[in-house]
Amino acid sequence: LRDGLHTKDTSKNRALLGLLVLVPPLLVALTNPKIFLVALNYAGGFCTVILFGVLPALMAWRRKLCNRLFLAALILISFAILIATLVNELKEGAL
């Protein structure tokens, strides 16, 4: 945050930046205590598919380690799971 705001490294600026970093998440957590669990639910649903489905297939595609038809199918199935998860979340009204 210090780099983005282009502030100098002084004790006053460090205290101000500390408040800027800590107070907004604290206010959000106090107003909606379950928001962290909701964020973990999304991370579990979406990031798992990306980390364990899409990225390994793309890395193998790049290195030409497997049949590209198989990898394309794996990527398409991963995106289908992502879309199904998104539709399910929208249907439940969680987003």
Side-chain angles (χ1 to χ4, degrees), residues 31-83:
T31 58
N32 190 356
K34 294 183 180 182
I35 198 163
F36 182 70
L37 297 176
V38 172
L40 282 178
N41 186 25
Y42 290 130
F46 296 109
C47 295
T48 302
V49 173
I50 292 171
L51 285 175
F52 298 119
V54 176
L55 289 179
L58 289 176
M59 288 187 292
W61 183 289
R62 175 88 177 172
R63 297 285 311 254
K64 299 176 183 167
L65 296 175
C66 295
N67 182 359
R68 290 212 168 175
L69 183 61
F70 172 74
L71 294 174
L74 182 61
I75 293 169
L76 288 175
I77 290 169
S78 297
F79 279 118
I81 293 171
L82 276 176
I83 291 170

Side-chain angles (χ1 to χ4, degrees), residues 1-7 17:
L1 193 57
R2 183 173 43 144
D3 289 340
L5 295 176
H6 304 292
T7 60
L17 290 174

